[in-house]
């Protein structure tokens, strides 16, 4: 039998693995500049965390969760996103009682959704994001947008994305808006896909982000939530827009932007690549998620980057992962007898933070050089019985082909020049 990866999953090999570790390192460095701390949560949660947190009516909960009964017959779900799990962790550990508010958590890891695999859409994918819990007002709404932009800047993508924003409002506003939407969509039910026909009763807001062309056509003329916002919500939304303008952050108002997760109740936003359907990053403000999951009335804001989309976006723009160049050495013992000498040299190099690889195969020197070239290493260290006896090495620069003899105890001094 030929084994294949599970549909919708993928391997990170070679360059892709380098992108992933570069993004991870940069991500935690930049989020820490905004005083976020990494918060590591389990990959799985009891299913209610997501059904309550993300919302029973969301597509994620209705159709996309990897849920199963464990051997104790408890329903467990592989996380489809991080926000609900982080909030569960904050509430369970009562961090709101012991930590300074807002609690600033950052994360990067895999999420799982049973979606139709296609470009930029996987069943197992990486998300990197933050949650800022215990906020009041709009300060952190704007600050996390600044954080997204700082991240995009580090990846040289800040001038290649567009920011869309909308404001969803609290329960009362959503109820009024939902009734208006239900009424509107009922009048167009014959023009809609089967899924959206069902969504009219389950969750009409979700019709606004259906990807089917005919539903998008109907949705384009649907009522806009901004007409239903309370005075306080309007004032908050205006304050956000004013601050973005003050900071010189360009944005576009998309009155039908709703995002796929039901907990958002204020600002929602997305960063998109022009002419692409899929957002590279999305987020927003939630008022009730902490109390929904058994905690006090605390508001939060957060965002999440899709790391595979970020990698693709970097590749499309010829942006390579940056890595600190460390000199690398290929140790070529010309005789089996001197393998101990080769081991000593490798140990010395590695202890001094240089990359060292030993050729254990023996054989002809020409084939050793070929291997060094394929491995893309910087220097060859050629040692024979004479060198081992004299405690020297032949150091060959594999780029310039220059070769010098160096005493073993001067090796580090010489190569650090
Ligand atoms: P969400 O958790 O739905 O707010 O999504 C946050 C980000 O995760 C999106 O902007 C995407 O970049 C990424 N994302 C969501 N679903 C997928 C998926 N199935 N495959 C790859 N990336 C995804």
């Amino acid at each position: 039998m030929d084994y294949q990866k599970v549909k919708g999953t993928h391997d990170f090999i070679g360059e892709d693995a380098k992108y992933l570790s570069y993004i991870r390192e940069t991500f935690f460095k930049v989020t820490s500049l905004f005083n976020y701390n990494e918060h590591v949560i389990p990959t799985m949660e009891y299913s209610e965390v997501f059904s309550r947190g993300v919302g029973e009516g969301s597509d994620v909960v209705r159709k996309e969760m990897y849920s199963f009964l464990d051997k104790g017959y408890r329903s467990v779900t592989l996380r489809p996103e991080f926000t609900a799990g982080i909030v569960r962790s904050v509430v369970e550990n009562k961090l709101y009682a012991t930590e300074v508010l807002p609690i600033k958590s950052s994360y990067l890891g895999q999420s799982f959704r049973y979606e139709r695999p296609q470009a930029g859409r996987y069943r197992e994918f990486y998300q990197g994001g933050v949650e800022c819990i215990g906020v009041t007002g709009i300060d952190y709404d704007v600050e996390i947008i600044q954080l997204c932009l700082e991240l995009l800047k580090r990846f040289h993508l800040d001038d290649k994305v567009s920011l869309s924003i909308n404001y969803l409002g609290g329960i009362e506003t959503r109820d009024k808006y939902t009734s208006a939407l239900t009424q509107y969509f009922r009048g167009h039910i014959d023009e809609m896909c089967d899924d959206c026909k069902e969504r009219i009763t389950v969750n009409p807001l979700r019709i606004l982000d259906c990807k089917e062309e005919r539903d998008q056509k109907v949705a384009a003329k649907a009522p806009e939530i901004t007409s239903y916002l309370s005075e306080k919500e309007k004032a908050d939304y205006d304050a956000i827009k004013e601050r973005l303008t003050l900071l010189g952050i360009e944005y576009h108002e998309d009155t039908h932007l709703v995002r796929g997760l039901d907990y958002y109740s204020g600002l929602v936003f997305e960063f998109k690549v022009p002419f692409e359907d899929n957002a590279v990053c999305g987020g927003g403000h939630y008022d009730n998620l902490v109390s929904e999951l058994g905690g006090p009335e605390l508001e939060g804001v957060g965002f999440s980057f899709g790391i595979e989309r970020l990698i693709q976006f970097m590749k499309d723009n010829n942006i390579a992962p940056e890595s600190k160049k460390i000199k690398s050495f290929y140790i070529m013992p010309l005789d089996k007898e001197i393998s101990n000498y080769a081991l000593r040299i490798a140990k010395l190099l590695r202890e001094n933070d240089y990359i060292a690889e030993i050729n254990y195969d023996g054989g002809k020197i020409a084939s050793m050089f070929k291997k060094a070239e394929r491995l893309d290493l910087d220097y060859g260290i050629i040692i024979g019985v004479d060198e081992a006896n004299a405690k020297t090495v032949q150091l060959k620069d594999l780029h310039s082909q220059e070769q010098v003899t160096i005493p073993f105890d001067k090796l580090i001094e010489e190569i650090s020049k």
Side-chain angles (χ1 to χ4, degrees):
M1 163 157 188
D2 292 331
Y3 293 106
Q4 292 183 340
K5 59 186 175 293
V6 171
K7 192 173 170 191
T9 67
H10 59 110
D11 303 308
F12 284 83
I13 301 171
E15 191 192 40
D16 285 345
K18 286 197 178 128
Y19 270 103
L20 181 61
S21 58
Y22 166 63
I23 288 174
R24 186 193 297 276
E25 195 185 307
T26 310
F27 180 82
F28 284 118
K29 189 169 104 189
V30 175
T31 51
S32 74
L33 300 177
F34 284 70
N35 211 22
Y36 282 83
N37 294 304
E38 187 175 0
H39 192 147
V40 182
I41 52 166
T43 316
M44 50 186 176
E45 300 278 349
Y46 289 123
S47 302
E48 304 90 79
V49 170
F50 301 113
S51 49
R52 267 208 94 86
V54 177
E56 298 274 9
S58 65
D59 279 6
V60 170
V61 171
R62 282 174 63 227
K63 297 192 259 175
E64 297 169 2
M65 296 214 299
Y66 277 92
S67 300
F68 57 95
L69 290 181
D70 69 8
K71 299 218 188 298
Y73 301 102
R74 286 166 293 245
S75 178
V76 166
T77 297
L78 298 183
R79 63 180 175 227
E81 56 107 54
F82 278 74
T83 308
I86 299 252
V87 170
R88 189 274 308 145
S89 173
V90 166
V91 173
E92 184 177 349
N93 293 292
K94 296 197 171 48
L95 297 185
Y96 50 82
T98 54
E99 305 291 313
V100 176
L101 296 183
I103 298 154
K104 293 175 117 180
S105 300
S106 54
Y107 62 81
L108 194 148
Q110 289 106 311
S111 289
F112 304 82
R113 291 184 195 173
Y114 193 81
E115 293 199 77
R116 194 149 51 85
Q118 49 190 287
R121 201 168 283 278
Y122 300 95
R123 290 182 173 171
E124 178 177 358
F125 55 98
Y126 279 77
Q127 288 189 309
V130 305
E131 302 302 333
C132 185
I133 297 168
V135 301
T136 45
I138 59 117
D139 296 326
Y140 290 96
D141 292 20
V142 178
E143 193 184 276
I144 62 164
I145 289 180
Q146 283 182 289
L147 171 50
C148 289
L149 280 167
E150 187 56 37
L151 280 162
L152 287 160
K153 192 166 152 199
R154 303 285 172 130
F155 300 127
H156 311 286
L157 295 169
D158 53 319
D159 55 349
K160 296 181 175 67
V161 286
S162 65
L163 167 64
S164 305
I165 62 169
N166 192 19
Y167 198 95
L168 296 184
I171 295 169
E172 251 176 62
T173 301
R174 291 270 284 276
D175 281 350
K176 279 192 246 160
Y177 185 50
T178 304
S179 316
L181 277 183
T182 308
Q183 204 182 355
Y184 170 79
F185 286 126
R186 284 222 170 102
H188 295 269
I189 194 157
D190 296 336
E191 300 153 56
M192 295 161 71
C193 76
D194 287 345
D195 255 355
C196 283
K197 281 179 184 147
E198 203 185 319
R199 286 181 181 126
I200 295 180
T201 38
V202 183
N203 194 343
L205 227 66
R206 295 277 76 82
I207 300 172
L208 298 177
D209 47 26
C210 176
K211 297 281 174 269
E212 296 272 337
E213 207 180 312
R214 53 188 167 149
D215 298 283
Q216 285 184 351
K217 248 191 206 158
V218 177
K221 297 207 177 100
E224 298 176 343
I225 194 154
T226 34
S227 326
Y228 297 84
L229 297 180
S230 69
E231 286 309 313
K232 160 92 174 61
E233 288 165 347
K234 262 189 218 148
D236 278 352
Y237 191 27
D238 286 343
I240 292 170
K241 290 187 279 188
E242 213 171 280
R243 186 148 334 156
L244 289 174
T245 307
L246 199 78
L247 291 166
I249 298 173
E250 281 177 33
Y251 61 87
H252 148 80
E253 274 185 80
D254 176 353
T255 50
H256 284 149
L257 177 68
V258 286
R259 317 249 36 258
L261 312 156
D262 280 352
Y263 44 69
Y264 290 123
S265 54
L267 174 76
V268 284
F269 65 90
E270 275 184 356
F271 282 95
K272 270 191 172 172
V273 183
F275 313 112
E276 284 260 345
D277 256 357
N278 292 329
V280 69
C281 168
H285 189 117
Y286 44 88
D287 287 349
N288 305 309
L289 183 57
V290 182
S291 55
E292 263 313 305
L293 293 178
E297 302 277 333
L298 289 178
E299 297 173 30
V301 288
F303 67 75
S304 188
F305 272 88
I307 304 300
E308 284 81 356
R309 292 184 192 172
L310 195 56
I311 293 175
Q312 191 55 49
F313 191 17
M314 289 173 75
K315 284 184 182 171
D316 291 346
N317 286 284
N318 298 317
I319 295 157
E322 287 161 24
S323 61
K324 257 191 261 133
K325 183 73 188 135
I326 302 174
K327 284 181 189 165
S328 55
F329 296 83
Y330 198 45
I331 302 162
M332 308 182 203
L334 300 179
D335 203 302
K336 282 263 180 233
E337 267 174 53
I338 56 157
S339 56
N340 279 349
Y341 189 44
L343 293 172
R344 272 185 63 202
I345 295 170
K347 185 164 179 278
L348 177 74
L349 288 167
R350 290 166 183 155
E351 280 169 354
N352 284 280
D353 291 342
Y354 293 108
I355 298 167
E357 167 104 34
I358 303 177
N359 181 306
Y360 292 105
D361 309 339
K364 295 214 172 74
I365 191 161
S367 75
M368 292 193 199
F369 276 121
K370 256 196 198 129
K371 240 183 172 175
E373 200 183 322
R374 286 189 61 200
L375 289 166
D376 198 20
L377 302 172
D378 301 318
Y379 295 90
I381 292 193
I382 305 138
I383 45 173
V385 177
D386 289 349
E387 281 79 13
N389 289 337
K391 299 276 173 293
T392 60
V393 302
Q394 301 282 338
L395 178 69
K396 181 165 184 167
D397 183 325
L398 296 172
H399 304 294
S400 70
Q401 305 301 321
E402 228 173 90
Q403 186 166 320
V404 284
T405 305
I406 297 172
F408 174 83
D409 44 15
K410 289 267 178 316
L411 182 60
I412 296 301
E413 191 186 312
E414 189 63 32
I415 61 184
S416 64
K417 278 182 192 165

